[in-house]
Amino acid sequence: MTRHTLSEQFFRDQAQHSASGGLSSVLNRISLVGRMLAAEIMRAGFVGKLGYTGTTNVQDENVRALDVISNDIVLQVFESMPMMAGIASEEMEDIHLLPEGENGKYLLTVDPLDGSGNVDVAGQMGTIFGIYRRQSSGKATLADFLQAGTNLVAAGYVLYGPCTMLVYSAGGPVNGFTLDRSIGTFFLTHPNLRIPEGEGSYSVNEANEGKWDARTQAMVRTFRTQQTRCGKRSARYAGALVGDFHRTLLKGGIYMYPGEAKKPEGKLRLLYENAPLAFVCEKAGGAATDGKQRILAITPQKLHQRTPLYIGSKGDVEEVHSLLHD
Ligand code: FBP
């Protein structure tokens, strides 16, 4: 098998999808974040980094040591990058402007460690990222970050599991790279990923059933009792959005995080979880909505805005819509 490296793919992206040299450098830094975080996760158990810090973040969630470490790694890697103007992170209340990035043309939205609840059970986790071009000049402001996902120039994720993978699109096909830890290099292993139709699992936290409205309960029951267009299908739930989405991307099916009667916006964040994965899913031939509209068409009003998420095979997302609204 020809072993294309990430760098070689960047140059292909540049040629095919007018990804400028700056974007390739940004993606290269994302791969550095992935390599550094993979190493931190692997040794966390040896250095007492599996637990909590005793603090809570802007999401009012208990913060784990690795949440802080992963956010710090993102800041370190991009701190001295002149083409990056600023970062919006799940772990930071406000946008973070980069000292060297006054004239930078890119913005990074990131969930540094998605699924961090899996830290102490050696479960899957991930880093989710989106890259935007600034729409203004001068010092970046919050308004620069509040862009719809249709403006994304690149997006993807790093998956930390039995292997470490980087999956992204720079506007063209979705390509998956696997880290060869022995030499610290990502190699192309999953070229031009396309999400299968008519097969695969459904993925939702069914323990939340009592919190959903009646239509949502009935819709999920249709999947559970195998009465959907695909008939027999398994339930799978990794407890980490990146892990559940990656399986859905490769095997087909759907991941759902519905809104709840008391929390209609649901749990997952638009800017640095739902929109980047929706970008990847659509580039692979799938669909992603909030149960009504395309995730990518939603312009965020707030940095940490949440939306329900239905993401996966186009036919499954369409079936969810008809079960919820017809
Ligand atoms: P964070 O870990 O970054 O907060 O992400 C939220 C998340 O952990 C997703 O990765 C996962 O899919 C979901 O929450 C699980 O939520 P729940 O435990 O309510 O099913």
Side-chain angles (χ1 to χ4, degrees):
M1 177 175 77
T2 312
R3 284 167 59 101
H4 288 301
T5 65
L6 201 51
S7 306
E8 286 160 353
Q9 190 58 38
F10 291 152
F11 294 118
R12 290 161 177 255
D13 285 339
Q14 264 176 256
Q16 291 169 9
H17 309 290
S18 66
S20 69
L23 183 58
S24 302
S25 303
V26 171
L27 288 165
N28 230 336
R29 292 287 175 105
I30 294 285
S31 80
L32 176 58
V33 168
R35 282 174 279 148
M36 291 172 71
L37 242 178
E40 287 295 336
I41 290 167
M42 278 198 294
R43 64 166 165 252
F46 299 122
V47 294
K49 296 294 186 193
L50 293 177
Y52 290 97
T53 61
T55 60
T56 54
N57 63 11
V58 64
Q59 323 287 343
D60 199 24
E61 293 167 341
N62 292 322
V63 175
R64 293 174 176 277
L66 270 179
D67 284 318
V68 175
I69 290 168
S70 56
N71 196 64
D72 287 348
I73 285 174
V74 172
L75 296 180
Q76 283 165 29
V77 167
F78 284 97
E79 203 72 43
S80 58
M81 189 173 216
M83 67 276 288
M84 185 60 73
I87 298 173
S89 165
E90 175 183 308
E91 298 303 325
M92 298 189 291
E93 184 157 6
D94 300 313
I95 61 171
H96 176 86
L97 300 186
L98 294 166
E100 309 283 327
E102 176 83 17
N103 301 311
K105 67 178 182 180
Y106 292 111
L107 301 168
L108 176 68
T109 64
V110 63
D111 179 356
L113 193 61
D114 167 71
S116 55
N118 277 346
V119 163
D120 41 9
V121 296
Q124 288 177 310
M125 288 171 278
T127 297
I128 307 172
F129 67 91
I131 301 167
Y132 290 88
R133 279 200 185 84
R134 287 191 52 190
Q135 306 291 319
S136 71
S137 56
K139 200 171 176 185
T141 65
L142 172 62
D144 285 299
F145 285 86
L146 300 182
Q147 298 186 46
T150 43
N151 288 355
L152 280 162
V153 292
Y157 57 89
V158 183
L159 173 66
Y160 310 106
C163 65
T164 298
M165 285 194 72
L166 171 59
V167 179
Y168 81 92
S169 166
V174 176
N175 289 314
F177 300 80
T178 303
L179 179 63
D180 181 336
R181 289 177 178 153
S182 64
I183 54 175
T185 302
F186 280 100
F187 288 95
L188 181 65
T189 50
H190 297 70
N192 191 19
L193 282 167
R194 303 295 294 170
I195 189 165
E197 283 292 335
E199 57 191 78
S201 58
Y202 77 98
S203 186
V204 64
N205 183 347
E206 306 217 31
N208 292 331
E209 181 173 32
K211 302 175 188 171
W212 302 328
D213 64 29
R215 288 300 292 262
T216 303
Q217 290 174 342
M219 176 274 289
V220 173
R221 195 177 309 116
T222 305
F223 280 83
R224 186 189 312 135
T225 54
Q226 308 181 1
Q227 296 171 51
T228 61
R229 67 190 180 107
C230 300
K232 180 167 175 43
R233 58 203 313 168
S234 298
R236 292 285 186 271
Y237 197 70
L241 173 58
V242 172
D244 285 317
F245 174 69
H246 185 69
R247 180 196 55 251
T248 304
L249 180 65
L250 268 59
K251 302 285 187 187
I254 188 166
Y255 172 89
M256 316 180 202
Y257 208 102
E260 299 167 3
K262 291 181 180 165
K263 276 175 59 182
E265 73 281 3
K267 173 179 185 180
L268 301 177
R269 277 64 48 140
L270 174 61
L271 202 56
Y272 39 77
E273 290 174 324
N274 299 351
L277 296 186
F279 182 85
V280 171
C281 195
E282 288 199 6
K283 293 298 181 188
T289 75
D290 64 356
K292 296 191 181 76
Q293 61 183 316
R294 273 177 82 200
I295 289 290
L296 294 183
I298 303 172
T299 299
Q301 302 306 309
K302 295 184 295 183
L303 204 56
H304 301 289
Q305 182 172 327
R306 300 168 192 259
T307 72
L309 179 64
Y310 298 90
I311 187 169
S313 303
K314 199 170 282 185
D316 284 332
V317 174
E318 287 166 356
E319 189 161 11
V320 164
H321 281 215
S322 61
L323 289 168
L324 286 178
H325 305 303
D326 290 358

